[in-house]
Amino acid sequence: MPTVNILPNEDHSNSPAWTISTGSDVYAVLDDDHAGNPTSDSSQITATANNKLCDIGFQSLADVGVDTDDIDTIDSVQGVIKANNYDRGKNYELRMRILSGVGVELWGQESTGTVNATNSWDTHTFTQRDGYDSGHASSGWSGSQINGIRMEIELTA
C-alpha cells in the first residue's frame, strides 16, 4: 500500500488547554501544512506554560480514498508534528502518544527531546511503528484500527 497521510478532524480533549489561534477546535488549526514560520501562521495552537495536553482524532481511510476492503494489513504508522518555540533562546519538548478511538493506548509515549527555538517550523517525525500494541512485535495494523485513531500531544518543557 502506498503512503497515506491522514489529517486531524475532531477534538477529544484540550485540557490543560492549549490556546487556539482562531475558532474553538484544536484539530481545525492543526489540519494544514503551513510552510512559513510560526509568527506568520495564523492557524496554530500555542502555550505560555508547560503541561498542555490535547487529544485529537483523525480522518478515516475512506476519507482519503482508501477502501479498507482492498487491504489486508497496513505496514506501519508514523506520527509527524510541526512545532516550534519562536521565543529567542528558549526550548521545548513535545510528547506524543497514539490512542485507539476509545482512548486505549496503541503506541507508547515518545518524546522529541529538548529542541531549541528557531524562526521556522520544525518537523518532528516519530518512530515508525509496525504494530498496534505499544511497540511489541505484531503483524501490522488493520483498517479498523486506523479508522478512529487518535493522537495525544503534550507540551512538557
Side-chain angles (χ1 to χ4, degrees):
M1 180 174 176
T3 299
V4 174
N5 294 320
I6 55 174
L7 299 173
N9 74 345
E10 66 180 322
D11 288 351
H12 288 275
S13 69
N14 184 23
S15 179
W18 290 81
T19 301
I20 304 169
S21 62
T22 183
S24 59
D25 297 315
V26 172
Y27 84 88
V29 297
L30 299 182
D31 66 354
D32 62 356
D33 189 16
H34 195 277
N37 61 57
T39 57
S40 67
D41 186 354
S42 61
S43 183
Q44 60 182 297
I45 56 175
T46 59
T48 57
N50 64 355
N51 298 321
K52 302 301 182 184
L53 184 71
C54 64
D55 176 352
I56 54 175
F58 284 79
Q59 298 168 309
S60 71
L61 292 171
D63 292 338
V64 294
V66 176
D67 183 352
T68 55
D69 292 335
D70 293 340
I71 56 175
D72 292 326
T73 61
I74 297 162
D75 295 335
S76 63
V77 169
Q78 186 170 39
V80 178
I81 298 173
K82 276 189 161 180
N84 199 315
N85 179 348
Y86 50 87
D87 195 4
R88 188 176 194 175
K90 302 291 184 175
N91 55 44
Y92 65 95
E93 177 183 1
L94 292 173
R95 294 185 181 162
M96 187 271 310
R97 285 190 323 147
I98 298 292
L99 308 170
S100 72
V102 294
V104 173
E105 182 177 275
L106 299 177
W107 174 351
Q109 190 175 70
E110 188 173 351
S111 171
T112 60
T114 301
V115 180
N116 294 321
T118 64
N119 64 353
S120 62
W121 289 116
D122 294 323
T123 300
H124 303 286
T125 304
F126 294 91
T127 305
Q128 185 172 317
R129 301 293 180 170
D130 62 359
Y132 58 87
D133 50 3
S134 297
H136 302 291
S138 76
S139 58
W141 299 73
S142 70
S144 63
Q145 289 161 331
I146 299 300
N147 292 334
I149 203 165
R150 294 162 45 178
M151 177 188 281
E152 181 183 87
I153 305 168
E154 179 182 11
L155 174 67
T156 61

